[in-house]
Amino acid sequence: MLKPLITLLKQFWQPITIGLAVAAVTFIILFMHLGTRPAALSSPEVATREASISLHTIFKNPINAPLKVPEHFFIHFRPHGRAASRLASVFYAIASLILFFGIVRYWQNNFTAVIGTAIFGTSSWFLHVARLNTPDVLLFGVLGLLACGLWLKHSLHRNLLALVMGTAIGVSLYIPGLIWFVLAGTFVA
């Protein structure tokens, strides 16, 4: 049982090491001092937090619901923590980094994908949007739409087309401005 694991580690030690290093750096950059830097919530963060306090408020105004719903549950577990408010944005940022890596790896090679994702993930704009609890992080959803488009274009599973496109359109209705990318993709394809 241990011998196949050792053989696997000997074969793939470089990608495993690079993956663990990238995960550690991502954790440090995005999660370290999340609740203390910046020290207080900005006015847009306070507005987002107030809009996600109760599920009734979210159902009443479902704009940016993909951010408000997870934030509501994080706030439920730590009602007075600033880090709890910012946690949903960080998870969306991590998902966007994974999607960005997949898209660049599809177009280029692994080395270019790692370097490009590192540059994108450490840019000041990305870190600002990722660590700040504002709906701006939902605009990274364009990467999700692009990844869905690439997957649908090159996949043999055409029967999932209606489900994926329905989900993409449904989510994009709650994120202001994202529906235009769906419509543009519909006319281009």
Side-chain angles (χ1 to χ4, degrees):
M1 181 171 164
L2 192 57
K3 190 172 181 176
L5 180 64
I6 292 173
T7 306
L8 185 69
L9 287 176
K10 283 181 182 178
Q11 275 184 323
F12 299 108
W13 71 271
Q14 287 177 331
I16 291 172
T17 305
I18 290 171
L20 289 174
V22 167
V25 168
T26 302
F27 178 80
I28 289 169
I29 288 175
L30 291 176
F31 287 103
M32 185 176 259
H33 303 294
L34 187 61
T36 58
R37 291 186 187 153
L41 294 176
S42 64
S43 58
E45 286 182 304
V46 171
T48 305
R49 184 180 174 104
E50 303 255 333
S52 60
I53 288 291
S54 72
L55 288 176
H56 177 70
T57 308
I58 296 171
F59 288 130
K60 213 166 142 185
N61 182 11
I63 301 291
N64 300 319
L67 178 68
K68 292 177 184 177
V69 172
E71 183 181 351
H72 169 75
F73 291 109
F74 289 136
I75 290 173
H76 182 69
F77 291 117
R78 285 231 28 201
H80 301 293
R82 289 184 299 269
S85 294
R86 296 174 178 156
L87 208 53
S89 294
V90 170
F91 283 128
Y92 276 112
I94 290 171
S96 70
L97 281 177
I98 292 168
L99 290 171
F100 185 83
F101 176 79
I103 292 166
V104 175
R105 191 183 71 183
Y106 175 76
W107 284 328
Q108 300 292 325
N109 57 18
N110 282 336
F111 179 74
T112 306
V114 169
I115 297 299
T117 305
I119 290 171
F120 175 62
T122 57
S123 68
S124 59
W125 171 74
F126 177 82
L127 292 174
H128 174 74
V129 171
R131 290 178 56 95
L132 198 65
N133 180 31
T134 59
D136 296 341
V137 76
L138 295 177
L139 294 177
F140 289 144
V142 172
L143 294 172
L145 293 175
L146 183 59
C148 285
L150 286 173
W151 175 68
L152 289 172
K153 185 177 180 182
H154 300 287
S155 176
L156 299 175
H157 303 288
R158 297 286 183 191
N159 53 358
L160 292 177
L161 177 66
L163 177 67
V164 171
M165 289 310 292
T167 304
I169 290 171
V171 169
S172 66
L173 289 175
Y174 295 107
I175 302 171
L178 203 58
I179 189 68
W180 297 112
F181 289 103
V182 173
L183 294 175
T186 304
F187 291 120
V188 170

